Amino acid sequence: MILKAVDIKEFDFTGYGTYYNMTGDRDRVYRTLGEDFEDYMTKTPLIDTPGQLGYTIGMDAPYVVKAMEKHDHTQEALFCAADPVVLCVAKSRGDEPPRAEDVRAIILNPGDVAVLDRNIWHDACHGIGKRSAYYYLASQGPAPALWVRVSGDGVSVTA
């Protein structure tokens, strides 16, 4: 199965969490213009628990989604700052592993924030054509996240 990633602005993210366009969402983001800066801040907290800041360096796309993780104890906010990244998500079917046919690939561009709801399967983000870094915010769980192999045919992701 080959999956082409789509820009998050063209994707209905409501079943997976909340999407913020930090520079374009006036309903949910405050904007401050200074003499030498622009500042954007969400009007409400991103996640509903105290969170730790994480930093991930993802390999380049295209790639094959082999495993995913999900969290039942926290939401997870992913921040794209400098380079676009590809994020794959899949809705949970209870205790079943993620299914290849449920995987969706989205592109986050600088200024995009994707806040994943609890129990949404996701992989680490990948850079488009090169390694890329991104930050995330989530509460640390009682144990390290468990990565589960995707069932069904492999999912090849292109950007």
Side-chain angles (χ1 to χ4, degrees):
M1 174 175 158
I2 298 174
L3 190 59
K4 177 137 177 70
V6 298
D7 192 292
I8 193 167
K9 292 171 188 69
E10 301 167 9
F11 182 81
D12 182 4
F13 196 69
T14 52
Y16 302 89
T18 305
Y19 163 63
Y20 293 89
N21 176 342
M22 293 300 291
T23 60
D25 186 351
R26 297 295 178 260
D27 291 335
R28 297 179 299 157
V29 176
Y30 293 116
R31 179 181 183 207
T32 303
L33 295 176
E35 189 172 314
D36 297 324
F37 68 91
E38 288 182 43
D39 182 68
Y40 301 91
M41 178 185 283
T42 61
K43 293 180 179 179
T44 59
L46 278 181
I47 63 175
D48 59 7
T49 59
Q52 283 85 19
L53 182 64
Y55 179 75
T56 301
I57 301 169
M59 298 302 114
D60 59 335
Y63 68 104
V64 176
V65 178
K66 298 176 185 167
M68 300 178 101
E69 66 171 349
K70 67 177 181 169
H71 314 289
D72 62 3
H73 68 282
T74 187
Q75 296 168 300
E76 183 171 343
L78 301 120
F79 311 90
C80 181
D83 296 310
V85 293
V86 177
L87 167 66
C88 285
V89 294
K91 292 182 181 173
S92 176
R93 295 177 185 246
D95 292 333
E96 292 183 31
R99 293 185 184 179
E101 65 266 19
D102 293 338
V103 175
R104 302 293 179 264
I106 54 177
I107 297 170
L108 301 175
N109 290 290
D112 288 338
V113 177
V115 182
L116 301 173
D117 286 340
R118 285 175 175 76
N119 292 309
I120 294 295
W121 290 107
H122 57 284
D123 69 345
C125 295
H126 289 71
I128 297 176
K130 66 178 185 173
R131 292 168 39 120
S132 295
Y134 64 96
Y135 289 93
Y136 66 92
L137 180 68
S139 295
Q140 178 65 45
L146 178 63
W147 286 79
V148 177
R149 288 200 66 82
V150 174
S151 68
D153 295 332
V155 180
S156 296
V157 178
T158 64

